[in-house]
Amino acid sequence: MADYNLIDVTVRDSTIKVKRAGSGPPMLMLHGMGGAERFLPGMQALAKQFDVIVPMAPGFGGQEMPPWLETIGDLANFYLDFMDKLDLKSVRLVGLSLGGWVAADLAIKNASRLTHLALMSSPGIEVPGARPLDIFTLGEEAAVRAVYCDEKRADEAWARAQLPENEDVRLMNQRIVARLAWQPRFHDPQMQRWLHRIRIPTLVLWGEDDRLFPPAYGRAWQTHIKHAQFKLFAHCGHLPIQEHAEAFAAAVTQFCAKESVAA
Amino acid sequence: MKIFNFHLMPYADADLEAIAKNGSAWVTYSNKHYDPKKGAELYNQYLDQLEAADELGFDGVVVNEHHQTAYGMMPTPGVLAGALSRRIKNGRIAVLGRALPLVNNPLVIAEEYAILDNITRGKLIAGFVRGIGAEYHSMGINPTESQERFLEAHDLILRAWTEPGPFAFAGKHYKFNYVNPWPRPYQEPHPPIWIPSSGSFSTIKWAAEKRYTYCQTLAPIALVAKTFALYREAAEKAGYQASPDQLAWSNAIYVAETDEKALKEAKPHLESYANYFLKTNPALMMPPGYTSIDSMKRIRALRAHRASWQSAEDLIEKGVVIVGSPNTVREKLAEYQDLAGFNTSLTKTQFGTMPHAMVEANQAAIAAEILPHFRTRSPQPAKRQAAE
């Protein structure tokens, strides 16, 4: 049983794979560093109330890395084009990890198609003293394991990562992440000063035990985005959508179901 | 064959156990382990060694560039080359870096090389490298831009050396309204350009097309031979026959009275070099995008099969280094020259923890027993072709 439809969407010169499921108001979900390989249970739960759209960004998932894609800002502009192409309206924009950085940048640039913004475990701003892990020097296994609070999930993720058939995609994902986030490391020094431009309701979700980007990042997003709410998950690492799928989906559903009122 | 004396200038007093504990001599090995008093002594000994090499009849001296590591203390090799430039009377001075992509203004390299070329009245050999993976961590440069930056910086430097300035340069990574460096290089049209690499296909091909001398970094001689064959093929495709002068092998040589004595003396220093100073991990050495996905996979597969400890005997057996009596070293160097077809040897006479007195003895032995036998020797392709 297919849980979702897989479609090709061409935006200017790039054709990408998009997973889409459910019905209701559109929810555009931007993936993190590992791409959008799987349609996660957390996404399925959201598809009960929303038209969940999960694009695989150019350069991820074995897709070609286009020459124009060099910064997070490029990706944000790409998704603005993507929303135009699909003519999405009243969009709930959900950014997961790296995708949250893209989502925040997009919302600063042009929020006219957006009603709600949710950021899960997102880098993108500089948080003095927060001490993020440097995934680029950790080594592959440690970097995979650092994502999870639950050891069993870490074991499974590392086993998945080692499958030889996944090696190309994994290396390509690492390459595009490095291109976007190597220097300055996982942040855009200019973005923070424009976060006041985000006026739509915003929810920041974080795992209490996130070692990649500790909850201090979440608090900082909350501080800089007007009226942002903050939801912390206990016993949870970098990916609440995986480690607390139901609670994550419930929080996002509840938040995004409310009528958007300009803050 | 031309035999150059190549120095890495390692921090020979390094605490090897601390390197092992840290898991790397690069990037994260704290500089609290650097003692300036010892460092000062080492710099002066090393410069003495290179000056001695010139007097002993080596064809040139070689320095290179590495950052934030005990492996080599030459983050700005131009300073060392500058210190040598008034003392080297006979041979050439080769700087193999600079690492072009690691700087944000490649014109400083054009300027630095031009000064060295002027002071030495045209003895400079200008090396261009990409810098190794670890340096993209140390210098905060995006590894996915490495190839592009290298090629663009190269083009900028060449134009700065050969086109009358001022002119504007508008590249992707480097943009200047005024390119007009003083001085211009002494050699016409510019110093010879040498390209050291660990064997990336794209670099070999590019160097062959540009007719630049290709220098293979430390590797087993069979692999060196393959790499040089690729260069010759690429040259043929580019419409010319490569000369052995365009190929340089980077090695280490240690000579003593007998094979046994040479092995016994060199062993701890070779092993410190291979197992501690070179110690690092894949995340540091192979940052994402530093090389193509295919090369990345090839290198990962090779690493997976590499023994965790490299013994001196292994390094000798595989022809990574040459250690032995004068006769053994002469025979092997000739054999390797014929096998791989190179006409330049970039020879380290100091490696790892090797102390000054040993280096001096080694240099003297090489000067007396090896250099005279190779001055007019060229590779004998018949032997290589037979082997192929």
Side-chain angles (χ1 to χ4, degrees), chain A residues 70-148:
Chain A
E70 293 179 321
T71 65
I72 290 291
D74 290 325
L75 208 46
N77 279 317
F78 173 82
Y79 283 126
L80 284 169
D81 279 354
F82 176 89
M83 287 193 292
D84 287 350
K85 172 90 184 198
L86 267 57
D87 194 22
L88 301 177
K89 295 191 177 85
S90 300
V91 174
R92 280 69 173 160
L93 182 62
V94 180
L96 308 175
S97 180
L98 188 79
W101 181 2
V102 181
D105 196 46
L106 185 158
I108 291 170
K109 287 181 159 75
N110 180 354
S112 61
R113 288 183 181 273
L114 308 181
T115 58
H116 299 75
L117 175 66
L119 307 176
M120 183 204 80
S121 320
S122 300
I125 51 177
E126 195 179 7
V127 183
R131 301 179 63 84
L133 278 182
D134 184 7
I135 58 159
F136 291 128
T137 52
L138 271 186
E140 239 179 343
E141 181 174 357
V144 168
R145 291 187 176 281
V147 167
Y148 298 93

Side-chain angles (χ1 to χ4, degrees), chain B residues 4 59-64 77-85 88 90-98 108-128 157 161 183-194:
Chain B
F4 284 60
D59 293 289
V61 296
V62 184
V63 293
N64 77 349
V79 172
L80 285 308
L84 291 163
S85 62
I88 300 301
N90 308 306
R92 306 196 69 136
I93 300 179
V95 183
L96 305 179
R98 303 286 323 256
V108 299
I109 294 173
E111 292 168 341
E112 179 184 302
Y113 275 169
I115 296 169
L116 288 167
D117 202 36
N118 278 260
I119 295 175
T120 59
R121 294 192 173 86
K123 287 180 175 169
L124 179 75
I125 292 165
F128 293 159
I157 292 170
W161 279 348
R184 292 194 295 114
Y186 186 91
Q187 297 175 78
E188 288 285 345
H190 55 73
I193 292 170
W194 288 15

